[in-house]
Amino acid sequence: MEELALNILDIACNSVRAKASLIRIDVAADTKKDVLQISVSDDGKGMSEEFLKTVTDPFATTRTTRKVGMGIPLFKMAAESADGAFAITSKVGVGTTTKASFALSHIDRMPLGDVAGTMVALIGQAEKADIVLTYSVDEREYVFDTRDVKRILDGVDINSTEIIVYLKEMIDENITNINGGLII
């Protein structure tokens, strides 16, 4: 994968397949500590301890359409290649949390990429799940919550073309403001 936003999308799509009703995505950059942290949490069906031990193996997958699962191993490799760390926790019936950290200035850290595009793609995939994005850089923070959007829309389909275009522009604009000129 060429950007971390694609890793986020892949992990969050796992949450959708796990029948999550709420997916939380946290992206936090701390320029003073030189760290970028990404977390994807869900309240889906979770994984057994046995499967959790193998989940970073590309040949361990629950999918029946293919025999390999590259998303989690690639996310782990991306973090570790940029002097970061990776962790995944899960409990059956409770959900899963995937966390990765990266040295923000590391030459091998992939760019964060199109978070807004990831969010609208995920909205299209997660018809029955709500999504909360918390995006922060230093002390500045932006929170996007599909539950708020759905309340405002009052029955209008969140996946209509006009709404998706508007949401992408809104998320992009807010992330640009939070970045304060930084390219994350």
Side-chain angles (χ1 to χ4, degrees), residues 30-117:
D30 185 326
T31 59
K32 291 173 186 68
K33 293 181 180 175
D34 192 38
V35 66
L36 172 64
Q37 296 179 317
I38 298 173
S39 171
V40 180
S41 302
D42 69 55
D43 63 355
K45 64 183 180 182
M47 293 180 261
S48 68
E49 286 184 38
E50 195 173 279
F51 186 73
L52 187 60
K53 291 176 185 174
T54 67
V55 78
T56 58
D57 178 348
F59 298 103
T61 183
T62 59
R63 299 197 57 184
T64 56
T65 55
R66 61 178 187 228
K67 295 185 190 305
V68 294
M70 297 299 291
I72 291 172
L74 287 174
F75 196 39
K76 179 179 188 280
M77 184 183 73
E80 291 172 350
S81 296
D83 284 343
F86 175 86
I88 185 167
T89 58
S90 189
K91 187 171 181 181
V92 173
V94 176
T96 302
T97 299
T98 305
K99 295 180 180 180
S101 64
F102 308 81
L104 194 55
S105 64
H106 197 283
I107 193 165
D108 291 328
R109 181 185 60 83
M110 288 188 286
L112 183 56
D114 185 6
V115 174

Side-chain angles (χ1 to χ4, degrees), residues 156-173:
V156 176
D157 183 13
I158 193 170
N159 281 308
S160 72
T161 303
E162 297 84 7
I163 301 297
I164 289 295
V165 168
Y166 173 79
L167 291 176
K168 179 160 184 346
E169 290 172 359
M170 180 185 76
I171 296 166
D172 262 334
E173 182 178 323

